[in-house]
C-alpha cells in the first residue's frame, strides 16, 4: 500500500498539532525551491511486506506527533509558540 504525503502537508500537520498558525510562520514560495529540493516523498513497503511479512505500525500522523513531542523535549512547546 502506498500513501503519498507532501512535505508541505507534513509540516502543516505538525503546526496543527501544536495549534499554531503555520501561515504566520512558514513561507511557501516555489521560486525559493532549490534544484535538488525534495518536494514529494513516497515509500512503498510492498516488497518488504511480501518478503518479510513486515508492515508499518505507525501512521504518518503518529510519526508527526512523536517528532513534535520529541522536539518539545529539546525546546519546550511554550518556546515554540512564542
Amino acid at each position: 500500500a502506498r500513501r503519498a504525503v507532501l512535505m508541505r502537508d507534513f509540516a502543516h500537520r505538525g503546526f496543527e498539532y501544536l495549534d499554531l498558525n503555520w501561515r504566520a510562520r512558514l513561507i511557501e514560495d516555489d521560486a525559493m525551491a532549490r534544484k535538488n529540493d525534495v518536494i514529494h516523498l513516497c515509500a512503498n513497503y510492498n516488497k518488504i511486506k511480501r518478503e518479510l511479512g513486515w508492515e508499518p505500525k505507525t501512521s504518518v500522523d503518529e510519526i508527526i506527533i512523536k517528532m513534535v513531542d520529541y522536539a518539545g523535549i529539546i525546546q519546550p512547546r511554550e518556546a515554540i509558540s512564542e
Side-chain angles (χ1 to χ4, degrees):
R2 292 174 60 173
R3 182 171 167 210
V5 177
L6 295 174
M7 293 303 295
R8 171 181 44 235
D9 295 336
F10 194 89
H12 295 179
R13 288 176 180 173
F15 276 89
E16 286 174 6
Y17 175 64
L18 290 169
D19 197 29
L20 296 174
N21 179 2
W22 63 266
R23 287 181 176 91
R25 291 174 161 69
L26 294 180
I27 298 171
E28 290 186 283
D29 185 350
D30 291 337
M32 294 177 66
R34 296 172 295 203
K35 182 175 131 183
N36 295 323
D37 277 348
V38 177
I39 304 299
H40 184 251
L41 297 174
C42 185
N44 184 340
Y45 64 87
N46 284 331
K47 183 176 180 181
I48 197 166
K49 179 181 177 183
R50 183 177 60 250
E51 293 182 11
L52 301 176
W54 179 88
E55 291 185 63
K57 295 177 181 160
T58 308
S59 71
V60 171
D61 288 328
E62 290 171 320
I63 291 170
I64 293 167
I65 289 168
K66 287 180 180 198
M67 290 175 68
V68 171
D69 286 346
Y70 179 77
I73 293 169
I74 299 168
Q75 181 178 11
R77 285 188 192 185
E78 295 79 32
I80 294 171
S81 63
E82 292 177 354

